[in-house]
Amino acid sequence: RGIPIRFEEESRGVRCAFFVESSFKLNPNEKKSWYMVADVGLNSAEVASLNSELAALSDTVTEKLESDIYEGSLLLDRIVGFSDGIQKSEDIKTTAHHYTNVLFNVMRGGIFSNGYWIDRSDVLAFFNVRNRKALNENAQFFASLPEKMLHAEFVDRALKSGNATLIRLCYEYMPLMFGRRHGDPSRPWNHFSINLKNEDGSLKLDYQGNWRDIFQNWEALAWSYPDYAESMVFAFLNATTADGYNPYRVMRNGIEWEVLEEDNPWSNIGYWSDHQVIYLVKLLELSKKFNPQQLESFLNMALFSHADVPYRISDYTELLKDPYHSIRFDKEAEERALARWQEIGNDGKLLWNKHGEVVHVTMMEKLLSLLLAKLGNFLPEGGIWMNTQRPEWNDANNALAGKGLSIVTTAYLYRFMNVVSDLLANSNLENFKLTKTVQEELFAMNNVLEKYQLFLESGFDDQTRRMVLDELGTIAARTRNEIYENGLSEEQINVPADFLAGFFNRIKKYLRQTLSVNKREDGLYHAYNVIHFSETTASISYLEEMLEGQVAILSSGFLDGAESLQLIRSVRASRLYRTDQHSYILYPDHQVTRFSKKNIVPANEVENLRLIAALERKNNPSILVKDDKGQWYFAPNHRNARLLRQTLEHLAEDPDLRPLVEAETEAILQIYESVFNHKYFTGRSGSFFGYEGLGSIYWHMVSKYLLAVQETYFAAKAHGEDSEVLSGLAAAYQEIRAGLGFNKEPAEYGAFPSDPYSHTPGHAGAKQPGMTGSVKEEILARLGELGISADAGRLSFAPSLLSKKEFLSEPALFTYFDVIGQQKNLEIPAHSLAFTYCQVPVVYRHAESDSLQVEFSNGKTAHVGGLTLDENLSAMVFQRNGQIAKLVVNLQSHAE
């Protein structure tokens, strides 16, 4: 504006501006630099010393500052490099975006401190926090451990011990660093910090995160550290409960659950199961890719625990009465768990038996516990009933908890069933050990599914689907109550593999039928439905289209390539597409009703209500109020029908009003629902204008969509589908990718395009940098673009979705970090690109035929025909042992 800058030493009540004014002239090739210094967390003496040091303005200060900047930047580059975040291609925006995605992913989930190397001293510290009893009783085992060892050697020693507690905890041990506690930054308990050092200056190994966040970030991390895939599966399964749910937070030290606090309006309880199925599926699939047969070996081994979260889900009949308040906090159970925790460590928060030991069950039982919990809430053709006081995902649909039915979880359950069925088929076991508690629930639910399977052909009416839900829900409640009162049975039952295979196939038939009938006339699929109960029926109504539902269907494997392409085109033509950002919103935008047009009760609805007339004579506005024009409105204290019913019950205490209340309560409640339509209120997704609100792009869901389309493309290619289908899916992938922020100019995106952002409201640019799980999906999508895949322990490079524009036009220097953290430079020629995988540098270059060149650290070279390494060479990469110095991938014409 041409206004002179005024020097300010103090600002009061307004934002500060830190500007330094100077005028100077620069000649060609001349430069001038300056520093702006700020620091926090210093005490008084340190502030004074820093001021003195800066006041000297000596060359030493400049050198120290430059050195600190360089060392900090190098450390950050090394951390990102440890997770394969450094790439070199002609497309600088793509590689810069990948760098930031990896950076934020490790900030959320952590990074392994020293590859696969672990320190005995930290193992002892871990066991001291988790289970001091196991530490003392196995002193010889710990004394025999070397000071430093590889993770594979560590878990192998544990397996040879045959001690279930040792095996479980040794697999759960993961030396992660750099991760931060995370969640919604607006909540008062989420104070973010990245703690790199202990008080003595040593490296701090720690992680903690909300259930829904940390496992998704580990999925991307596992691609760079394949040998930790099973540890992630152990951590996941051991934190789930015997009744099939999971706690709020997972940490290095164990688990945490939420408690109600009378003086804290933010406190809440409720079982978490959002994302539960798909996160587990992804981890199971990764283990199968890298370490075939490893999980099958665990299926019948009692190595897994249950979290003992002191929540008690209501009995089935109580759920029907009030599905909004379905969880009771068991204070006595918490006190018992905390007493055990004080005695031995965080293993005290696990389920114990009557002999004072942690209950261990087989992996098959853990998988069944999660599956049966979902079946206990399954409404045919409707989805999974969401009745544990928690929304399905990210709080966007929080008002659906209690009345919602999730087709999203149904779709992911279908993918889960395929994975578990494959594990079963490949195990070659004839029987599986289950506790009698779970075996009885399994057999009872199987009987129900057998009983009603004829309706899979004809379809379910409101009465038959209610009968299925009643019977499954009653069985699940009976099992839960048995666990709450007596724990799991100590009696073990052998269940034939053939029975389980038949049970899984039967479930898949029910899931297929439900998914099929939830296809909409516009070609999309329902995401969430609403359940309505009468005395003998369960009816279903439908919400508007949602992007999440289409993502889940695509990801489930339910559709073939041609059907998937048809769905993708339907999404593009739907109200979910936002033209200005060339991307997709979560839900269709709509005009919100103005306040003056809300809460209007039609006069004809009130005329015949004798209770309202009686209240008007008494000048009692507790139910309805009237304006000066005679328009009726519901009193403002009734934010839901439950509170309105309470007011009516209070009025019934008046003998004169009691008959009127009894006669007209249901009529008044029906009027209330017709006015407000609360049954279809989803929560902030239908009322906010930012975050996951109206007109808002939620970038995590867009990145999930991107990855789901990519997965569909690769599946169609593997199944040999028509070339037109493949080209259509590839084009759809590129179209979604082109709408992501890093492909846009700052003015269009409204933010720094290279960084991942949480959401873009309809009225503003991108918001909340880094605060998004989209980084995980985009890392996986980038791996897919580069053609990196693994199957049965064999690593392949086949980049059919990689743009030819990414190949360098001129020679360049690729700077990366090797497996021991040393910075190295690699000259790469024109028409090439480079990246690391498991910190092995990989160079792509054009050639006349596909082949791989393996350069070993000892100077030897091996040539491989095709684009797949054998198991031995793949293992060298996966194990990060430094034997392979470089991979050169010769590509004929895979990039497009």
Side-chain angles (χ1 to χ4, degrees):
R1 297 178 182 175
I3 301 173
I5 295 175
R6 179 172 54 85
F7 178 76
E8 293 180 358
E9 194 170 80
E10 180 183 51
S11 295
R12 303 180 65 180
V14 296
R15 290 184 177 182
C16 300
F18 297 94
F19 290 110
V20 176
E21 182 185 15
S22 178
S23 298
F24 52 88
K25 187 178 293 184
L26 288 179
N27 295 317
N29 297 318
E30 184 182 3
K31 66 180 181 181
K32 182 179 178 66
S33 59
W34 59 92
Y35 303 92
M36 298 177 70
V37 181
D39 209 339
V40 295
L42 304 182
N43 61 35
S44 300
E46 290 167 337
V47 170
S49 298
L50 180 59
N51 279 332
S52 298
E53 189 173 5
L54 293 174
L57 293 177
S58 66
D59 293 338
T60 305
V61 172
T62 302
E63 291 173 3
K64 288 176 66 176
L65 187 58
E66 288 288 348
S67 175
D68 187 68
I69 292 171
Y70 173 79
E71 289 175 3
S73 300
L74 186 65
L75 176 59
L76 193 65
D77 282 342
R78 184 178 288 113
I79 288 172
V80 174
F82 282 171
S83 194
D84 298 318
I86 301 175
Q87 301 179 348
K88 189 75 173 182
S89 87
E90 189 76 4
D91 190 343
I92 298 174
K93 291 189 296 184
T94 293
T95 56
H97 185 58
H98 180 68
Y99 182 102
T100 54
N101 283 333
V102 172
L103 171 61
F104 282 109
N105 193 76
V106 299
M107 284 174 66
R108 290 165 66 93
I111 186 79
F112 292 103
S113 61
N114 191 19
Y116 292 134
W117 287 97
I118 60 179
D119 294 334
R120 175 177 172 272
S121 59
D122 191 59
V123 170
L124 295 177
F126 173 78
F127 268 82
N128 190 56
V129 172
R130 284 294 190 95
N131 193 322
R132 289 183 291 276
K133 181 181 178 183
L135 181 63
N136 295 329
E137 291 180 350
N138 297 278
Q140 186 174 355
F141 171 84
F142 293 105
S144 67
L145 296 177
E147 288 300 318
K148 288 187 178 294
M149 71 203 101
L150 289 169
H151 174 259
E153 176 190 353
F154 177 53
V155 296
D156 185 59
R157 283 171 175 257
L159 285 168
K160 289 177 180 177
S161 75
N163 184 305
T165 299
L166 275 181
I167 296 169
R168 170 174 57 82
L169 288 173
C170 287
Y171 264 103
E172 274 202 55
Y173 171 77
M174 287 181 283
L176 290 159
M177 55 166 279
F178 195 68
R180 59 164 174 79
R181 177 175 175 172
H182 51 280
D184 189 332
S186 65
R187 304 291 172 84
W189 57 82
N190 283 321
H191 300 291
F192 299 163
S193 64
I194 297 176
N195 300 315
L196 293 177
K197 296 180 180 180
N198 295 305
E199 291 184 2
D200 62 1
S202 60
L203 184 66
K204 184 177 182 64
L205 300 181
D206 191 24
Y207 67 85
Q208 56 176 309
N210 295 348
W211 176 276
R212 66 173 58 156
D213 292 324
I214 200 159
F215 290 111
Q216 65 176 324
N217 300 115
W218 285 358
E219 180 192 346
L221 183 63
W223 275 94
S224 295
Y225 294 86
D227 279 4
Y228 275 115
E230 289 74 41
S231 290
M232 295 172 183
V233 171
F234 266 77
F236 187 109
L237 289 176
N238 291 334
T240 60
T241 62
D243 56 0
Y245 295 88
N246 38 267
Y248 171 52
R249 186 176 291 116
V250 180
M251 310 173 294
R252 170 184 160 106
N253 291 346
I255 61 170
E256 283 184 349
W257 50 74
E258 295 172 295
V259 298
L260 290 173
E261 305 170 41
E262 292 184 3
D263 58 344
N264 183 359
W266 288 97
S267 70
N268 195 7
I269 67 170
Y271 259 139
W272 296 79
S273 65
D274 58 334
H275 299 307
Q276 185 192 66
V277 173
I278 189 59
Y279 285 175
L280 177 58
V281 163
K282 293 294 190 74
L283 295 177
L284 294 173
E285 289 174 344
L286 284 180
S287 176
K288 290 285 292 178
K289 291 175 188 292
F290 301 129
N291 305 312
Q293 303 301 317
Q294 184 67 70
L295 289 181
E296 283 90 340
S297 68
F298 293 140
L299 278 177
N300 210 29
M301 297 175 67
L303 302 175
F304 297 86
S305 61
H306 292 298
D308 190 18
V309 179
Y311 296 166
R312 302 295 179 252
I313 304 177
S314 299
D315 196 67
Y316 181 69
T317 54
E318 296 301 317
L319 279 178
L320 293 175
K321 292 178 182 177
D322 187 2
Y324 301 96
H325 295 84
S326 58
I327 307 292
R328 176 178 62 84
F329 190 85
D330 190 334
K331 186 63 178 176
E332 293 182 0
E334 184 189 46
E335 290 173 353
R336 290 194 297 270
L338 293 181
R340 297 192 301 260
W341 170 64
Q342 290 283 353
E343 180 183 353
I344 72 161
N346 212 279
D347 265 10
K349 294 182 179 179
L350 302 178
L351 188 66
W352 284 36
N353 60 27
K354 297 175 182 178
H355 307 292
E357 300 168 331
V358 172
V359 174
H360 286 99
V361 299
T362 64
M363 181 177 173
M364 180 58 78
E365 177 153 332
K366 289 294 299 187
L367 297 173
L368 284 170
S369 295
L370 303 179
L371 171 61
L372 297 177
K374 298 291 185 290
L375 281 183
N377 291 311
F378 176 62
L379 183 74
E381 302 182 354
I384 307 297
W385 185 19
M386 301 154 54
N387 56 20
T388 53
Q389 298 182 189
R390 283 298 183 190
E392 180 64 15
W393 73 279
N394 212 43
D395 295 331
N397 293 322
N398 52 4
L400 289 179
K403 65 187 178 188
L405 295 163
S406 176
I407 292 297
V408 171
T409 297
T410 307
Y412 289 141
L413 200 60
Y414 184 81
R415 181 166 172 171
F416 175 80
M417 294 312 307
N418 287 330
V419 172
V420 175
S421 295
D422 287 343
L423 287 174
L424 176 68
N426 295 329
S427 67
N428 297 319
L429 294 173
E430 295 183 358
N431 295 285
F432 289 88
K433 293 181 294 184
L434 303 177
T435 61
K436 186 178 180 181
T437 309
V438 172
Q439 177 267 330
E440 289 179 345
E441 182 181 23
L442 169 68
F443 277 48
M445 287 193 173
N446 182 66
N447 290 338
V448 174
L449 298 182
E450 279 188 328
K451 178 180 175 181
Y452 291 99
Q453 61 187 0
L454 290 175
F455 290 96
L456 294 175
E457 295 293 332
S458 61
F460 295 83
D461 59 26
D462 291 351
Q463 189 169 13
T464 52
R465 73 167 59 95
R466 171 64 183 273
M467 292 165 67
V468 175
L469 178 63
D470 282 350
E471 294 187 35
L472 291 174
T474 300
I475 293 167
R478 184 172 66 231
T479 303
R480 289 196 304 267
N481 292 334
E482 175 65 22
I483 293 171
Y484 298 156
E485 294 175 12
N486 303 310
L488 288 169
S489 170
E490 295 184 19
E491 183 179 352
Q492 298 281 319
I493 306 292
N494 280 323
V495 175
D498 290 344
F499 174 86
L500 289 173
F503 179 62
F504 294 159
N505 286 331
R506 191 166 292 112
I507 292 172
K508 284 193 281 187
K509 290 179 182 178
Y510 274 84
L511 298 176
R512 279 196 295 268
Q513 192 264 351
T514 292
L515 295 176
S516 295
V517 300
N518 274 275
K519 186 174 182 179
R520 296 157 43 102
E521 291 184 0
D522 59 4
L524 304 183
Y525 284 79
H526 293 296
Y528 297 103
N529 301 323
V530 176
I531 191 170
H532 307 273
F533 290 110
S534 71
E535 288 190 11
T536 59
T537 64
S539 59
I540 303 165
S541 59
Y542 303 98
L543 299 168
E544 291 185 306
E545 60 269 38
M546 298 183 185
L547 182 60
E548 187 185 12
Q550 320 322 308
V551 171
I553 290 291
L554 289 170
S555 182
S556 69
F558 173 67
L559 305 178
D560 62 22
E563 293 167 330
S564 297
L565 182 57
Q566 185 180 18
L567 172 58
I568 293 164
R569 288 171 174 169
S570 296
V571 175
R572 178 64 174 78
S574 74
R575 297 185 295 167
L576 299 175
Y577 184 69
R578 188 171 144 183
T579 306
D580 67 317
Q581 285 289 324
H582 321 292
S583 196
Y584 298 85
I585 56 180
L586 283 169
Y587 330 90
D589 196 3
H590 61 259
Q591 186 66 40
V592 177
T593 305
R594 297 176 65 87
F595 180 81
S596 60
K597 301 296 183 181
K598 291 181 179 180
N599 190 18
I600 295 176
V601 182
N604 63 324
E605 299 276 8
V606 182
E607 289 173 355
N608 298 323
L609 293 176
R610 293 177 297 155
L611 175 61
I612 301 304
L615 292 175
E616 187 177 18
R617 288 193 298 271
K618 290 175 174 284
N619 196 27
N620 182 340
S622 60
I623 301 296
L624 294 178
V625 295
K626 187 164 61 174
D627 65 17
D628 58 350
K629 296 180 181 180
Q631 175 62 58
W632 288 100
Y633 310 88
F634 277 98
N637 54 312
H638 301 129
R639 64 178 182 270
N640 55 49
R642 187 172 59 255
L643 294 176
L644 176 57
R645 184 181 291 274
Q646 290 176 5
T647 301
L648 289 165
E649 291 172 352
H650 177 70
L651 290 174
E653 295 174 4
D654 184 337
D656 295 335
L657 297 177
R658 184 179 300 117
L660 300 179
V661 171
E662 292 175 351
E664 296 180 350
T665 287
E666 295 306 318
I668 292 172
L669 289 171
Q670 287 179 12
I671 296 170
Y672 180 86
E673 176 58 29
S674 68
V675 169
F676 291 105
N677 203 23
H678 275 182
K679 281 190 172 69
Y680 297 97
F681 178 62
T682 57
R684 75 190 197 191
S685 64
S687 55
F688 278 28
F689 296 99
Y691 303 98
E692 303 91 2
L694 295 170
S696 180
I697 295 173
Y698 185 60
W699 291 108
H700 190 182
M701 192 53 64
V702 176
S703 66
K704 284 186 176 185
Y705 186 36
L706 178 79
L707 183 62
V709 172
Q710 188 189 79
E711 288 179 336
T712 301
Y713 165 80
F714 286 130
K717 191 173 184 180
H719 293 149
E721 294 201 38
D722 187 87
S723 59
E724 291 187 8
V725 171
L726 293 178
S727 61
L729 290 171
Y733 174 81
Q734 298 297 349
E735 185 266 339
I736 299 167
R737 185 184 187 274
L740 297 179
F742 72 97
N743 292 308
K744 298 173 180 176
E745 295 299 319
E748 181 183 14
Y749 192 46
F752 293 107
S754 64
D755 283 1
Y757 279 75
S758 169
H759 59 280
T760 296
H763 59 277
K767 301 295 182 183
Q768 283 190 288
M771 300 303 301
T772 171
S774 68
V775 296
K776 182 265 289 189
E777 266 77 24
E778 289 198 53
I779 290 170
L780 299 177
R782 180 60 178 166
L783 293 175
E785 289 173 10
L786 292 169
I788 302 171
S789 65
D791 181 53
R794 295 164 62 91
L795 179 63
S796 298
F797 302 91
S800 57
L801 290 176
L802 183 65
S803 172
K804 290 180 179 179
K805 296 178 181 179
E806 288 216 42
F807 287 82
L808 293 165
S809 58
E810 297 179 355
L813 193 67
F814 177 48
T815 301
Y816 68 98
F817 295 87
D818 65 15
V819 292
I820 61 173
Q822 290 185 336
Q823 189 177 36
K824 291 193 172 182
N825 295 317
L826 179 65
E827 293 184 1
I828 53 176
H831 312 301
S832 300
L833 61 84
F835 57 91
T836 66
Y837 178 65
C838 290
Q839 288 184 258
V840 175
V842 182
V843 178
Y844 280 2
R845 63 186 186 188
H846 294 305
E848 295 182 359
S849 61
D850 292 337
S851 65
L852 282 162
Q853 180 177 312
V854 184
E855 297 182 14
F856 296 97
S857 299
N858 60 11
K860 295 183 179 181
T861 301
H863 294 274
V864 178
L867 299 174
T868 301
L869 297 175
D870 64 24
E871 290 90 341
N872 291 330
L873 291 173
S874 298
M876 291 181 188
V877 178
F878 295 153
Q879 293 168 7
R880 304 169 61 94
N881 57 24
Q883 293 185 45
I884 296 179
K886 184 172 69 171
L887 291 170
V888 177
V889 182
N890 298 303
L891 299 168
Q892 185 177 12
S893 58
H894 286 261
E896 296 299 331

